[in-house]
Amino acid sequence: MQRRRAVNAVMTGLCALGLALALVPLVSVLWLVLSRGISALDLDFFTALPSPVGEPGGGVGNAIAGTFYIVGIACAIGVPLGVGAGVYLAERGSGRVGDVIRFTAEVLSGVPSIIVGIVAYGLVVLPMQRFSALAGGVALAVLMVPTLARSTEELVRLVPGALREASLALGVPEWRTSLRVILRTALGGIMTAVLLAVARAAGETAPLLFTSLNNQYWNWRADQPTASITVQIYNYAVSPYENWHDKAWAAALVLLLLVGVLSLAARLLTRQRFGAQR
Amino acid sequence: MTSGNGTGPKIDVQNLNAWFRNNHALRGVSLSVPANTVLAIIGPSGCGKSTFVRCINRMHELVPGARQSGHILVDGTDLHARGVDPVDLRRRVGMVFQRANPFPTMSIVDNVVAGLKLNGIGGNHAELAETSLQQAALWDEVKDRLHHSALSLSGGQQQRLCIARALAVGPEVLLMDEPASALDPIATAKIEELIRELREQLTIIIVTHNMQQAARVSDATAFFYMGELVEHGATEQIFTNPKETRTEDYVTGKFG
């Protein structure tokens, strides 16, 4: 009895220690980014263009807008493809074709993002002869598709078969049933999956380095190089200027906030969905 | 096609066999159902009752590994004849399932007209929804909250909503697969009353585990056992004077 309690206490203690150790890097990252980044952060930082070396002020407004722009392009390409593939896998993917697609998606989701960047470079940048927001969007879309497809598949499979039967028994064709009943019912979860995919894509640097490159100015043209927060952080961080290092920290904080807000929104959406079911 | 062509039965099943992979679920079933009558199908679990009704709106064939042979004629036309589209057929032969399955993302009124909306069929949806809900004896209970979620209704109300939804498509035949088995006695009574009223317009086949229910609502009763049709006749005869001993044993509660 005494021994069992002692073992129990020791084990609980070890688990708590493991948790504490796992939290150390997370907390230190958050603390470091917050403490170093907050000083350079002001309203201008969100709205202004980057300033030249040595000049005070300036911001990463164009990079924030650029990240939204590139991720927006990625969503426009990747969400229909990923969700469509997921619905196909769930509804028709029981045969050999489905297995091949599933395997491909699995392999693709394990491909390092820089390789996806090279592919986008070859597919979009070389033929167009210039770096562009479109190329960046394509690279991020390729990264989004496999995870979106797999999570959509899981979510669609969760929709009760009784709803499919109800729709079919009303004389609704299968494709309409898939789109307007099954997909509609799974939509809350799919939105969450999309938000998480967006958050992940927004944090990518490697595939953007040689696709959308960078831009010192505002840009709204898909065929022009475009700034992004991640590439901006990279450029600031590798520069030799102390003043730019501060900006890199501040931009990192902005990116963390952005990704944090997206993940939180995804969480809230999920909770709302489960709340509604009760 | 309009309901009943005056001569033959509404539904004529000839030597129907059905399988799930190697499981022979229905064995040579033949029976016919006249228009505007209620046929009750009774029998122990796993005897093929559900499979039988699911063959009539061609839902059986959607199950992977399902096969069937024999003929089912609705108004004299074979369901598997060339040019018969299962999607059109299911609009003529509606179905209500054992567990109420309203669409959770739709409001009450949208659920009722879902068969039209999902197919992009226009028309006066509000009026159709009201008529269908009235037919399903649900209108008075939901008329003040038509735009609430269908999940806000009780189980019995949800099942009547599903009946209204099936009726809104304008079917000639209604298949009911144990529609009241998950409901309390009051909700069950409402559904049974509904079945008696709907007989004026429709031909109904109802699967039930409840023999009193079969006796109360049906004109004819068919007793299935191990995939075979053991006996089929007027409901009164089946319950008071069955010809087969297996039927007698079942309706008197000796097994099943």
Side-chain angles (χ1 to χ4, degrees), chain B residues 196-207:
Chain B
R196 286 189 289 267
E197 284 167 15
L198 289 172
R199 186 174 56 174
E200 309 286 316
Q201 313 149 37
L202 298 163
T203 308
I204 296 173
I205 301 183
I206 175 172
V207 172

Side-chain angles (χ1 to χ4, degrees), chain B residues 183-202:
Chain B
L183 304 181
D184 67 71
I186 295 169
T188 303
K190 282 190 174 160
I191 303 250
E192 288 179 8
E193 197 183 319
L194 195 58
I195 292 168
R196 286 189 289 267
E197 284 167 15
L198 289 172
R199 186 174 56 174
E200 309 286 316
Q201 313 149 37
L202 298 163

